[in-house]
Amino acid sequence: TGLCLNADGSRLGVVVDEFLAVVMAIPSGDVVTRFEGHDGYISSMTFNQDGTQVVTTSWDNTARVWDAETGAMVHQFNGHTDTVLNAAFSDDGRYLATLSRDRNVIVWNRDTNEERFRISHSGHPLYTTFTPDGSAIATVSSDGGAQVWDTESGSMRFETGTQAGRAFMADFNADGSRLMTVSSSRIN
C-alpha cells in the first residue's frame, strides 16, 4: 500500500507520487526522509519491525530497502519479471518477501540479500505475511486460496483451498498457530 506506520507510530510512510516516497514525522507532518531512484511507479512501501528500514516496490520489477532515517538505499532486490506489487519483512528481520504480477513470491535472506526460495502461483499473489517468529509465511493469490510455507525449507505446510469469494488477505495470530483469511464474502 502507499501508506504505512512504523511500529511506535512516530513515523508515517507515504507514496507521494509515481517516483517519490517519503517518511513524515507524527504529529508535525514534517518530511524527514525522501526515497527516490526507482525507474517505474512506486507501488507500495512498508517499514521493518524496528522502523530502521523501509522497503519500496515498483513497476520497474524491483524492491528497494532504504535506511529510514538517511534515505540511503541499502539494497536493490532483482528477480521478478513484472511489477513488484508489495513486500513484507519478517518480524525477526531474517526475511523479506516480495510479490509480483509475474505470479511469484520471492523470499529473500536479509543476511545475504540472496533469494532463499520462490513460490509460484497459478493466480496473481495478492498478500503475504510472516508468522511472528518468522518460521512460516502465508501467501494469498487470486486463485482464491491461501498457502503456508516453511521459511527454512521452502516447502508448503498446508493450504486452505479456495473459499466462497476470493481470499485477498491473511494474518497469523500472535503466536503463529492460527491463520485467518479474509475474502469478499467471509472471514475464516
Side-chain angles (χ1 to χ4, degrees):
T1 62
L3 191 67
C4 60
L5 276 172
N6 70 347
D8 70 8
S10 65
R11 297 285 190 258
L12 175 68
V14 181
V15 176
V16 177
D17 65 28
E18 293 91 350
F19 300 99
L20 174 65
V22 300
V23 169
M24 302 166 70
I26 294 178
S28 71
D30 294 337
V31 172
V32 294
T33 315
R34 299 169 60 92
F35 309 102
E36 296 178 279
H38 279 290
D39 296 324
Y41 293 150
I42 298 172
S43 49
S44 74
M45 71 182 297
T46 193
F47 284 96
N48 68 346
Q49 185 63 21
D50 66 8
T52 60
Q53 294 183 336
V54 170
V55 61
T56 56
T57 61
S58 173
W59 289 21
D60 65 8
N61 307 345
T62 70
R64 295 181 184 201
V65 173
W66 311 84
D67 183 290
E69 290 300 314
T70 67
M73 187 175 68
V74 176
H75 190 77
Q76 178 172 308
F77 293 88
N78 301 302
H80 289 287
T81 59
D82 204 341
T83 300
V84 181
L85 299 169
N86 210 336
F89 288 102
S90 62
D91 287 354
D92 63 8
R94 291 184 301 162
Y95 304 109
L96 175 72
T98 55
L99 59 106
S100 169
R101 284 192 180 140
D102 66 10
R103 299 181 182 215
N104 291 297
V105 174
I106 299 176
V107 177
W108 305 89
N109 179 317
R110 289 292 289 125
D111 289 333
T112 63
N113 293 322
E114 293 178 357
E115 182 176 323
R116 179 143 183 82
F117 60 92
R118 180 180 299 248
I119 303 164
S120 296
H121 286 278
S122 59
H124 294 287
L126 302 172
Y127 194 80
T128 188
T129 186
F130 288 93
T131 54
D133 67 0
S135 66
I137 182 173
T139 60
V140 178
S141 66
S142 62
D143 60 14
Q147 298 84 31
V148 175
W149 308 83
D150 185 279
T151 53
E152 288 300 315
S153 68
S155 63
M156 188 188 318
R157 289 185 179 176
F158 69 90
E159 61 184 318
T160 63
T162 57
Q163 54 191 25
R166 184 181 77 182
F168 58 86
M169 186 175 276
D171 206 359
F172 290 98
N173 66 341
D175 69 4
S177 64
R178 294 181 185 258
L179 177 72
M180 295 175 290
T181 59
V182 178
S183 73
S184 55
S185 62
R186 63 191 280 188
I187 298 174
N188 292 320

